[in-house]
Amino acid sequence: MFKTTITCFFLLFVVSSSVTYAQSFAKKFTRQDTLRGSITPEREWWDLNFYHLAINVNPETKFISGTNTVRYKVLKPNQVMQIDLQPPMQLVKATQNDTELDIKHEGNAHFITLNSKQRKGDINSVVLEYKGHPKTAKNAPWDGGISWKKDKDDNHFIASSCQGLGASVWWPCKDHMYDEVDSMRISVRVPNKLMDVSNGRLEHIEQHNTTKTYHWFVKSPINNYGVNINIADYSMFSEIYKGKAGNLSLDYYVLRYNEDKAKVHFKQTPKILEAFEHWFGPYPFYDDGFKLVEAPYLGMEHQSSITYGNHFKNGYLGRDLSGTGWGLKFDFIIAHETAHEWFANSITNKDIADMWIHESFASYAESLYVEYYYGKQAGADYVIGTRKRIANKKPIIGHYNVNHEGTPDMYFKGANMLHTLRQLVNNDNRWHNTLRGINREFYHKTVTTQEIETFLSTATGIDLTAFFNQYLRDVRLPTLEYYIKNRTLHYKWSTTVANFNMPVQVKLDADAVWLKPNTDWQTLKLKTKNVKLVVDRNYYVAQKNIQVH
């Protein structure tokens, strides 16, 4: 998801004073934060295997009721299971083997005592019955929940969005990113005039008197916030994309009066998939298909069911976030959210503190799309153009184990970090192989920042410890300080973390030269006295000419 606004950005090359990680995130956390954001003892002993979410949605009363059947594997003996459901939703009952179980309610967390002995290796299930008026989204998708809207024809137009807030805002689940369910069935009952579009493939539609139930099946692992409902008077059209792993169905669901414009505008979707398959490898969810679903908010990367609300315009609501013109060559939401199918849905952070793994790569993918169709310089123009939107006020990584995501710099700063890393690799084939390799290595897996850092260091052959400490965990922009005296260039890095020694390419007049600075002054003999130094624009760093007399 693109979780920032376009009215509060800061200028490029703002070099903040040294701010420690602890100072920059001075925030108090509660027990509820810990219960939501950590792998508690009541979570760690069981592994998710299957969900069947079966619900009835009443648009008139904004009420949801139903059940979630949770199938799981016992990893080690324990008798208490944590299930998450946020008020005002109510967990009414939990049963196992047709026996009602005792539930201890503690805010958003609900601790269920199991009667049957839980033996290691057993596959068991619990049926959760729930109901209530879920939180209404105030500003979806940033402040999410359920959006209860109407279309122009006064039909209900309803959608879920819950990244960060948590899927437990509207359905009971194990609401932590580390454990993805292996597969899932989603059954949604709605009034006859409306349609539900959820994840995966539609199995069948069950007709009742005045309602219908849409049964969807997700064959691939899926994270909780990626599960969605979209309920409206939809029109649907389809095409087949001949991709790297065969034929992929592309299904589009839009409000009926938008069908004609959507058929024209969505023609860019196969082009976007082609570019990303080139860079990252095959689309990760051929079994579940690809859907683009109109929603009453900007958009979200729901797995195989991407929601779309960019008003059928290129750019971000018709604007180019890079300021270069290249951002108007494609629909920002289709591109950014589609990139999340690789980074967020296939490769998923274990802890939301590491959400840069989702957003940095998805933001960087935008420039790779531009490069694929318009050339390497155009792609560089795009990502460099986004630097003016970087704040450099707080680190990209958030606090662990308390459901605390990092700052919006995970988008543009993260993208420029990856673009800078490409310069260090200095080999386009190796960089391309690295991007595809990361998708092979972590296909359908949950990961940590450390795992991604280790992979990139190994794949590139570069020790990136200090590099990632600088860009992910510090707010300062590395500054190449230099001065020229007696035909000698003196240079070093400043405003950096310990052991920062990133090579950098500069122009000395017309000559391209590699420098290998660290935090101590180094020298280079020059041919002439009056030389102009310019750091290669592809590095996200600052430069400072020190006046020495």
Side-chain angles (χ1 to χ4, degrees), residues 1 3 32-33 35-37 43 84 86 108 135 141-145 160-170 175-177 223-227 300-302 348-349 351-353 355 358-359 402-406 410-411:
M1 177 172 63
K3 291 184 67 177
Q32 281 296 307
D33 294 324
L35 290 175
R36 171 76 174 84
R43 281 173 169 159
D84 305 287
Q86 300 177 34
N108 299 339
K135 176 182 181 293
W142 300 281
D143 188 355
S160 60
S161 59
C162 55
Q163 185 182 21
L165 178 63
S168 56
V169 75
W170 66 278
D175 205 0
H176 193 287
M177 302 289 286
N223 64 55
N224 288 324
Y225 85 82
V227 176
M300 189 71 213
E301 69 261 23
H302 301 108
T348 309
N349 55 237
D351 191 300
I352 200 172
M355 203 167 83
H358 299 190
E359 301 301 350
V402 286
N403 195 47
H404 182 259
E405 66 186 55
M410 70 179 79
Y411 296 86

Side-chain angles (χ1 to χ4, degrees), residues 359-368 383 415 418-419 422 431 435:
E359 301 301 350
S360 297
F361 280 96
S363 296
Y364 179 57
E366 299 156 23
S367 68
L368 294 178
V383 69
L418 294 171
H419 186 65
R422 180 182 185 176
W431 183 239
L435 294 174

Side-chain angles (χ1 to χ4, degrees), residues 322 363-364 367 378-387 412 415-416 419 538:
S322 77
S363 296
Y364 179 57
S367 68
D381 287 345
Y382 179 87
V383 69
I384 292 168
T386 64
R387 289 178 185 172
F412 302 122
N416 277 279
H419 186 65
N538 291 296

Side-chain angles (χ1 to χ4, degrees), residues 47 58 63 100 140 145 210 249 257 271 293 305 318 330 336 384 527 537 547:
D47 179 60
N58 188 324
F63 193 81
E100 186 169 350
T210 58
S249 59
Y257 48 76
K271 291 183 60 180
V293 188
S305 181
F330 62 95
H336 184 88
I384 292 168
K527 298 175 184 177
R537 71 183 188 130
Q547 299 301 315

Side-chain angles (χ1 to χ4, degrees), residues 15 470-471 476-480 493-496 500 502 540-543:
V15 182
Q470 183 71 46
Y471 286 101
R476 297 169 295 168
L477 191 61
T479 301
L480 184 67
W493 285 120
S494 67
T495 61
T496 63
F500 189 81
M502 183 177 75
Y540 181 51
V541 299
Q543 66 179 73

Side-chain angles (χ1 to χ4, degrees), residues 387-437:
R387 289 178 185 172
K388 60 183 173 292
R389 303 186 180 279
I390 300 172
N392 280 324
K393 295 295 183 182
K394 294 180 181 179
I396 284 176
I397 294 179
H399 280 295
Y400 291 101
N401 300 316
V402 286
N403 195 47
H404 182 259
E405 66 186 55
T407 63
D409 275 354
M410 70 179 79
Y411 296 86
F412 302 122
K413 184 177 182 180
N416 277 279
M417 173 187 72
L418 294 171
H419 186 65
T420 299
L421 177 55
R422 180 182 185 176
Q423 313 315 309
L424 302 184
V425 174
N426 196 32
N427 182 307
D428 284 349
N429 286 334
R430 189 167 197 175
W431 183 239
H432 192 180
N433 289 335
T434 297
L435 294 174
R436 287 181 291 192

